[in-house]
């Protein structure tokens, strides 16, 4: 299998988060892949097949693409701020009664975090809402202390602050690859049957179909640091991050995206992991 690489003189967009560097080509190969035909039809120039235009179908596809981009941003944000350990918790907040309005969920969370901070005033958080197949919503919250001190919150305290249903707490460890773990949890749909709970089955990415268009999936506290974004020649970006220009990435991904319903653009993304953390005092 051919190994694609980004040329050192290519203009790239880079994201530095935690001890990871992600580099993506800022421009790719363009080609026309669709020809619009009369009668609300189009021809796929790759397969030669003619299809009916389905605006509702395209709208769903656009929503899924937007959600995947949002999940990528969320993955970087989590990686940049949460590493696992005694100063961090992952808390799930559920509803005893079906709650269909995500804005209600966010308002309930505001009350929850305000109550919780009366006892644990130094908390930072990333709060993500998740839809269920039933149409109801609940929250997943990553919590951490500002000074990296040990964080322990009894479930009784969490339940009293939430007051809407059940709460569940888990301490994630560094080996869990927290960002990947959480994003997979949020996007994959559990289809395990009630008769066979010992054999977990998931449909990868299927939960994205449950998110309505335009929904704001996550919110975070002011102290959560944003990943650093850099643009320039790949060689300069590598040097800026203390890496040799010929260093092999841990992983390379090639992806194609359809833009304007007519043109395909291809991107290459290289991932460099475990390259050393960032001095938080030097972050903008």
């Amino acid at each position: 299998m051919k190994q694609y690489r980004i040329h050192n003189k290519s203009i790239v967009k880079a994201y530095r988060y935690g001890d990871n560097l992600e580099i993506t080509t800022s421009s790719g190969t363009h080609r026309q892949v669709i020809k619009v035909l009369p009668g609300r039809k189009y021809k796929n120039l790759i397969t030669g097949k003619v299809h009916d235009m389905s605006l509702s179908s395209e709208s769903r596809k656009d929503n899924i693409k937007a959600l995947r981009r949002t999940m990528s941003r969320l993955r970087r944000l989590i990686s940049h701020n949460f590493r696992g350990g005694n100063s961090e918790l992952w808390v799930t907040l559920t509803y005893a009664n079906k709650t269909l309005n995500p804005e209600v969920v966010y308002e309930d969370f505001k009350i929850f975090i305000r109550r919780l901070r009366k006892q644990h005033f130094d908390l930072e958080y990333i709060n993500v809402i998740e839809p269920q197949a039933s149409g109801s919503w609940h929250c997943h919250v990553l919590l951490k202390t500002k000074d990296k001190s040990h964080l322990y919150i009894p479930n009784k305290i969490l339940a009293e602050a939430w007051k809407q249903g059940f709460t569940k707490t888990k301490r994630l460890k560094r080996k869990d690859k927290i960002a990947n773990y959480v994003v997979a949890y949020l996007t994959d749909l559990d289809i395990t049957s009630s008769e066979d709970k010992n054999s977990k089955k998931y449909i990868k990415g299927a939960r994205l179909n449950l998110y309505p268009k335009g929904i704001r999936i996550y919110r975070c506290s002011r102290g959560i640091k944003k990943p650093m974004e850099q643009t320039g020649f790949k060689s300069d970006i590598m040097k800026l991050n203390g890496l040799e220009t010929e260093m092999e990435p841990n992983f390379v991904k090639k992806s194609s995206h359809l833009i304007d319903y007519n043109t395909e653009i291809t991107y290459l993304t290289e991932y460099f992991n475990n390259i050393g953390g960032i001095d938080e005092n030097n972050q903008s």
Side-chain angles (χ1 to χ4, degrees):
M1 181 177 179
K2 183 178 179 180
Q3 179 67 42
Y4 296 95
R5 289 296 306 277
I6 300 175
H7 192 277
N8 278 328
K9 291 304 178 183
S10 295
I11 298 292
V12 299
K13 178 71 173 288
Y15 301 92
R16 178 69 187 270
Y17 46 94
D19 57 358
N20 307 290
L21 179 65
E22 179 181 329
I23 297 177
T24 302
T25 51
S26 57
S27 60
T29 302
H30 295 71
R31 61 171 175 166
Q32 185 178 359
V33 294
I34 288 175
K35 181 179 180 180
V36 179
L37 303 174
R40 302 186 64 79
K41 295 181 181 294
Y42 69 90
K43 181 178 182 180
N44 185 316
L45 298 179
I46 298 175
T47 64
K49 294 183 178 180
V50 175
H51 304 272
D52 292 320
M53 287 187 175
S54 173
L55 296 181
S56 60
S57 176
E58 292 302 324
S59 179
R60 285 197 300 272
K61 289 180 181 178
D62 288 344
N63 188 42
I64 294 297
K65 289 178 182 178
L67 287 168
R68 291 192 185 281
R69 290 194 294 269
T70 298
M71 288 298 178
S72 292
R73 290 194 295 269
L74 176 60
R75 176 179 53 79
R76 297 185 196 111
L77 190 67
I78 294 174
S79 292
H80 199 49
N81 290 276
F82 289 86
R83 309 292 184 83
N86 291 333
S87 65
E88 301 174 10
L89 293 174
W90 185 25
V91 178
T92 300
L93 308 172
T94 65
Y95 281 87
N97 300 312
K98 184 180 292 187
T99 302
L100 303 177
N101 188 341
E103 291 304 318
V104 170
V105 180
Y106 274 130
E107 288 302 315
D108 288 340
F109 175 78
K110 286 181 182 179
I111 298 171
F112 163 78
I113 199 67
R114 191 159 55 238
R115 289 170 178 161
L116 194 59
R117 278 176 164 167
K118 289 180 180 179
Q119 299 185 56
H120 298 270
F121 60 90
D122 65 338
L123 292 177
E124 300 289 357
Y125 67 83
I126 298 176
N127 175 36
V128 191
I129 60 172
E130 179 191 21
Q132 304 300 294
S134 65
S136 189
W137 294 82
H138 63 227
C139 295
H140 294 290
V141 189
L142 283 164
L143 294 171
K144 72 173 185 176
T145 52
K146 295 179 182 179
D147 60 0
K148 299 183 180 180
S149 60
H150 185 272
L151 179 59
Y152 170 71
I153 307 176
N155 195 63
K156 180 181 178 181
I157 300 298
L158 291 168
E160 288 175 352
W162 179 235
K163 296 183 183 296
Q164 300 294 338
F166 297 105
T167 66
K168 181 180 178 182
T169 306
K170 181 177 181 179
R171 192 177 301 281
L172 296 178
K173 300 178 181 179
R174 186 177 180 86
K175 67 179 182 180
D176 291 325
K177 296 182 178 178
I178 294 173
N180 291 344
Y181 179 91
V182 172
V183 170
Y185 190 96
L186 292 167
T187 57
D188 296 346
L189 192 62
D190 187 349
I191 58 169
T192 306
S193 67
S194 57
E195 293 80 16
D196 189 18
K197 292 185 178 180
N198 293 324
S199 179
K200 288 287 186 179
K201 296 179 181 179
Y202 298 91
I203 301 178
K204 189 174 179 63
R207 192 178 296 277
L208 294 175
N209 291 287
L210 302 179
Y211 285 95
K213 186 176 181 180
I215 186 72
R216 184 176 176 184
I217 295 174
Y218 65 89
R219 300 183 186 186
C220 56
S221 56
R222 293 181 180 179
I224 294 297
K225 305 289 186 181
K226 294 183 179 179
M228 294 190 294
E229 298 184 13
Q230 304 164 331
T231 302
F233 292 113
K234 179 191 172 183
S235 57
D236 294 337
I237 297 296
M238 295 288 283
K239 292 175 182 177
L240 188 62
N241 287 276
L243 303 179
E244 298 291 334
T245 56
E246 299 304 322
M247 181 178 178
E248 292 286 333
N250 297 89
F251 178 67
V252 180
K253 181 175 72 175
K254 182 181 180 182
S255 58
S256 297
H257 303 278
L258 193 64
I259 57 176
D260 300 327
Y261 301 97
N262 189 43
T263 306
E264 186 181 72
I265 183 169
T266 302
Y267 293 98
L268 284 180
T269 304
E270 296 181 345
Y271 298 88
F272 299 85
N273 304 327
N274 303 316
I275 61 174
I278 300 173
D279 182 356
E280 295 184 359
N281 295 320
N282 291 330
Q283 292 187 58
S284 56

